[in-house]
Amino acid sequence: MDGLGSRRLTIVTGHYGVGKTELAVNLALALAAEGTAPVMLADLDIVNPYFRSRERKPLLEEAGIQVIATSQACTDADVPAVPAEVLAMLEDRRVRGVIDAGGDPVGARVLARFRPKIAQEDYQLVYVLNANRPEVRTPEAATAYLRGIEQVTGLTCTGLVNNTHLCGETTAAEVRKGAALAEAVSHETGIPVLGHMAEARFAPELEGLTVFPIEVRMRKPWE
């Protein structure tokens, strides 16, 4: 898999609600489908109560993916308890790893804890953009948030992914709106755009964009 899945470790981050978990779950499933190496997905996002990678544990495990999750008993801690399996994923170079990291200060501090280990590995820190999130819908705001994550984690962002959508009302035009934001942030930061998340049905309308086709896996509990 080129670009988005080209590194042994992929850390997915971004502002709350941009769709980090949707990317993490779909990427882990795509890597598992390749069948070239064992895949592990670490859910380190403790902020969002609805969209958690662990919620799709049966689906992921059926695909042969090992799911690692932070301790729910310690979510009020300044830096929550993190299972030892995370270290195993970082150190075992036979494994392809995906980390679903919170983009808030707590999530950034969790990543900072592992910075010495991560920095020694073949990793990419992917920043997810969503032009429909009010807090990060402008290039300036999105860039400022990205730089804040880098500052706290001590890690360098290596790629941008556009995940602009309107849930069930998403259109190809929405994806292209996000593509414009991604290009603006890329121009501002020098960080390349790795791709644009979109349901496969939109691919014919997105000619000229590098599309990472997804199936929507993360839905609100009432949907």
Side-chain angles (χ1 to χ4, degrees):
M1 185 186 301
D2 295 332
L4 189 53
S6 62
R7 304 291 186 91
R8 188 180 80 78
L9 297 175
T10 299
I11 304 163
V12 183
T13 189
H15 194 277
Y16 169 82
V18 296
K20 301 183 303 295
T21 297
E22 192 72 76
L23 173 57
V25 169
N26 274 273
L27 178 58
L29 290 168
L31 292 172
E34 288 185 343
T36 58
V39 177
M40 298 174 73
L41 188 155
D43 176 1
L44 303 186
D45 185 352
I46 68 165
V47 174
N48 194 332
Y50 295 124
F51 300 103
R52 302 290 305 277
S53 299
R54 71 177 69 182
E55 295 174 9
R56 296 297 175 265
K57 188 174 182 178
L59 170 69
L60 293 162
E61 290 184 339
E62 185 178 351
I65 299 163
Q66 181 178 346
V67 179
I68 306 166
T70 51
S71 172
Q72 289 182 307
C74 299
T75 55
D76 291 331
D78 184 54
V79 178
V82 177
E85 290 92 339
V86 175
L87 279 177
M89 180 180 69
L90 296 178
E91 295 174 349
D92 187 348
R93 293 178 177 169
R94 298 170 300 174
V95 169
R96 304 290 297 280
V98 178
I99 298 177
D100 181 5
D104 63 296
V106 173
R109 287 197 294 272
V110 171
L111 282 182
R113 176 192 296 182
F114 294 109
R115 186 196 61 78
K117 288 282 187 185
I118 293 171
Q120 297 175 26
E121 300 302 321
D122 177 32
Y123 85 93
Q124 59 182 348
L125 179 63
V126 175
Y127 181 71
V128 181
L129 294 155
N130 184 335
N132 288 326
R133 292 300 299 174
E135 302 89 344
V136 286
R137 64 174 21 151
T138 68
E140 296 78 14
T143 298
Y145 203 84
L146 183 161
R147 294 307 189 198
I149 291 172
E150 289 182 323
Q151 183 176 9
V152 175
T153 63
L155 300 170
T156 300
C157 179
T158 58
L160 308 173
V161 172
N162 165 35
N163 183 37
T164 300
H165 63 89
L166 284 174
C167 297
E169 298 181 9
T170 302
T171 64
E174 289 297 320
V175 180
R176 288 195 178 276
K177 179 174 73 174
L181 173 63
E183 288 300 331
V185 174
S186 178
H187 183 266
E188 177 72 20
T189 62
I191 300 170
V193 178
L194 299 180
H196 307 269
M197 292 172 61
E199 293 179 73
R201 62 193 175 99
F202 292 124
E205 301 175 69
L206 297 173
E207 186 176 353
L209 297 181
T210 300
V211 175
F212 176 54
I214 66 165
E215 181 176 340
V216 177
R217 305 287 186 177
M218 307 305 299
R219 297 185 184 276
K220 297 181 181 68
W222 52 86
E223 288 185 320

